[in-house]
Amino acid sequence: MYTPLLPGQIRLFRLEPRDISSTQDPNQSLVRGVLEHHRLADHPRYNALSYCWGSNANLRPISVNGKVIAVHSNLEAALGELQSYRGDMLLWADRLCINQKDDDEKTVQVQQMRHIYTEASLVFAWLGEAADDSDLIMDHFQTIGEDIFPGNRGMLETEGQLDQILVAHKTPKTRRALSNAFRHFCQRSYWQRLWVMQEFVLAQEVVVACGDRRVTFQQLLTIVQTYRAAIPSFMQGVVTTRYRYGNMNTRSENHLFRVLVTSLVLEVDYNHPKSSDPRDRVFAILSFTNDAEEFPMFPDYQHGWQYIYTKLAIALLRQGHIDILSFCQFTEVNPLLLDNEKLPSWVPDWNLKIKYPCVSAPWRSYFSASLNSSDLQKVQVDENRNQVSLLGVTVDTISFIGSPWDPDWLAPLDTKAAQNYLSEVEQFCKRSSHSSVTSLDLNQVVGRTCIADRICCEGSQMWWRDKNIYKNGYCQCYIDTVSAFEKGSWPTEVTYCQRLKLLHSRRPFISQTGLVGLAPSNIEVGDELCIFLGGKTPYIVSKRIDGVSRLRGETYVHGIMYGEFWAQCANADIHRIVLS
């Protein structure tokens, strides 16, 4: 069925029109078409299909180049729905247009994905066949998008618009039906595909199709901006991704490290986009980064995903993104790994449900544990041993560790567990003789430590030094929270409790010199606290064996997050810290 492509060529599927005269013969009513070779440089006019492959257990026949082949039922349904009675359609669909058994071809074609989707006249986002009142909600989207908000992005401008919304939700029965249909719409498997993000972002124009109904991207965006889903939604994430990465004002921020994190790392909704091939968790987002040319080794389907993730980590470290280490998390076991195939501790495993670091993402954080030392960092890699060597300082050794604090982001805060956690941090602070603890009000130190200083690190780096703001600000929130917990009630100000819930997989600790902080839950007594040059946050590494450590993860340490260590130890011993 496939003949080799020449450089610069893609395959397009010429979908033949529907034949209404042969409906009695199943072989004649098959979806039919032929594959053609085209040069992208010639700008052929075609549409592209974005869809979810589905299960291999549910296949249907179609005819390609006169030969009957089996494809996933979802693709067959999409092609059948796109067939016209008037004429043929030139279409790009990955399952048909890429030889999936040829890894060399896959590598070349995936490299062209950016151009394939940007050159397409239209991208059809196929959600699947009609089900669960999808016709009802699709019709509703059209009504809201066309009649109520024509082109004004969800802004109410007249009383008539409000009246129409009220009519559309007039009765409890109508509201329940729309709510239920919207919930099912948001939960469709299409939205959970990682490749969808690329296909949505790059398209010139997107039409969302479900059964025989259609809505434009703008109509869908209007719904997302106007309504809030009753449950966190993959659909909202995909739609806002197109809005985010299609915005010219933010394209300078779209480096691969940031796109990886914003696409793959869990938000508080726990949504985890899916891909059948672990390598695609990197390759599927390359096309909407602004530094893809700095990663010429990708895509690469000749090597396994462990090799790809390791190469990616090396490249990002050499770019200066030392805080990629904060996404190395070890609270979950990857079922794809055998005991003898473990990734190096310094390589994030993008298969796992990685969460945002407790010290925040680097581009949001005002922490500066290493000050302005990025230019001094010289990354060395021993690829034979899977080791990386980074310049840094060893600050201290862990002396005592506390109980785990790992709240469920979606569940109500366990106030009893929170009270125990706050009390444990307070006890560590009371035991400390370190000046970073003893020189400040105890409530301020405990209050900031318990939430990893998250309020101030996401605002102004300087305002926490204003004692009046702290006295009347979140330090007082901490005091009020403790008081409310002791009385068995809920605090009036919930911001502090929200920050407590944003933490995950933490244990409080105290070091040999009395530094107090929050470390990963896999920490052990005797582990070492260090600062890598160029890193915004400190890290914990295991005790060295034969000069080599394993990374435990990012940590918050009160009193060294803003470069205080360097002021106190100007002549600190900067040495190589080797991680395996």
Side-chain angles (χ1 to χ4, degrees), residues 80-377:
E81 197 61 52
L82 292 175
Q83 276 185 308
S84 168
Y85 291 109
R86 297 187 299 273
D88 54 18
M89 173 190 292
L90 205 54
L91 187 70
W92 189 89
D94 59 354
R95 168 63 180 83
L96 297 176
C97 297
I98 298 177
N99 184 354
Q100 301 296 327
K101 296 180 180 179
D102 185 338
D103 285 342
D104 289 335
E105 180 178 304
K106 279 176 63 178
T107 296
V108 173
Q109 291 297 295
V110 171
Q111 287 174 338
Q112 298 189 83
M113 286 287 203
R114 180 196 297 264
H115 304 295
I116 289 171
Y117 277 97
T118 54
E119 289 289 327
S121 302
L122 188 69
V123 171
F124 286 101
W126 171 251
L127 306 190
E129 297 177 277
D132 301 314
D133 283 334
S134 58
D135 288 353
L136 173 69
I137 198 64
M138 292 287 282
D139 291 343
H140 181 66
F141 290 166
Q142 284 191 329
T143 300
I144 296 294
E146 292 179 359
D147 298 339
I148 300 178
F149 296 125
N152 62 10
R153 300 199 174 216
M155 300 298 291
L156 281 169
E157 296 181 345
T158 68
E159 290 186 9
Q161 291 174 327
L162 178 59
D163 291 341
Q164 286 178 281
I165 290 180
L166 294 176
V167 168
H169 302 81
K170 187 174 183 180
T171 67
K173 183 177 180 180
T174 301
R175 290 195 294 272
R176 284 194 299 270
L178 286 172
S179 177
N180 187 58
F182 186 44
R183 178 169 56 84
H184 284 294
F185 179 86
C186 293
Q187 291 178 326
R188 284 195 170 239
S189 58
Y190 172 84
W191 303 114
Q192 301 175 33
R193 283 184 64 239
L194 184 58
W195 279 106
V196 164
M197 294 185 185
Q198 173 185 252
E199 294 155 7
F200 251 71
V201 167
L202 299 177
Q204 296 183 48
E205 184 178 353
V206 176
V207 169
V208 179
C210 186
D212 61 1
R213 300 300 203 271
R214 310 279 188 272
V215 294
T216 66
F217 169 76
Q218 187 58 50
Q219 290 168 336
L220 195 57
L221 179 61
T222 295
I223 295 297
V224 170
Q225 293 178 329
T226 308
Y227 294 90
R228 287 186 179 272
I231 56 174
S233 162
F234 280 102
M235 181 274 288
Q236 292 169 305
V238 171
V239 172
T240 54
T241 293
R242 173 174 169 84
Y243 187 65
R244 178 195 303 141
Y245 291 119
N247 187 343
M248 293 295 295
N249 295 327
T250 61
R251 287 190 178 178
S252 62
E253 303 172 355
N254 296 348
H255 51 77
L256 179 56
F257 180 29
R258 185 163 186 166
V259 174
L260 268 172
V261 171
T262 55
S263 302
L264 301 182
V265 173
L266 295 185
E267 302 278 3
V268 293
D269 52 18
Y270 286 103
N271 285 342
H272 192 234
K274 298 176 182 178
S275 62
S276 56
D277 187 330
R279 295 169 293 189
D280 286 338
R281 301 192 72 75
V282 177
F283 302 160
I285 60 176
L286 277 173
S287 291
F288 47 95
T289 64
N290 62 13
D291 59 348
E293 68 281 354
E294 296 184 34
F295 302 87
M297 61 286 205
F298 299 146
D300 172 9
Y301 287 100
Q302 297 294 334
H303 292 92
W305 63 269
Q306 298 98 320
Y307 175 91
I308 299 301
Y309 289 5
T310 302
K311 283 291 188 182
L312 173 63
I314 292 171
L316 292 175
L317 286 170
R318 285 176 169 161
Q319 275 189 332
H321 297 299
I322 302 303
D323 287 308
I324 190 177
L325 300 177
S326 64
F327 295 90
C328 297
Q329 299 171 10
F330 309 96
T331 58
E332 184 183 358
V333 176
N334 187 340
L336 298 176
L337 283 172
L338 301 176
D339 289 339
N340 62 346
E341 293 181 333
K342 289 184 178 179
L343 284 173
S345 65
W346 48 273
V347 177
D349 187 344
W350 301 107
N351 287 306
L352 301 183
K353 296 178 180 179
I354 297 175
K355 299 180 180 180
Y356 269 93
C358 292
V359 292
S360 190
W363 44 87
R364 296 179 186 168
S365 175
Y366 283 85
F367 292 143
S368 54
S370 69
L371 290 180
N372 300 316
S373 59
S374 298
D375 293 341
L376 302 177
Q377 182 60 265

Side-chain angles (χ1 to χ4, degrees), residues 18-30 85:
R18 200 185 302 263
D19 186 354
I20 59 174
S21 65
S22 58
T23 56
Q24 300 303 315
D25 185 348
N27 292 322
Q28 293 298 317
S29 62
L30 290 178
Y85 291 109

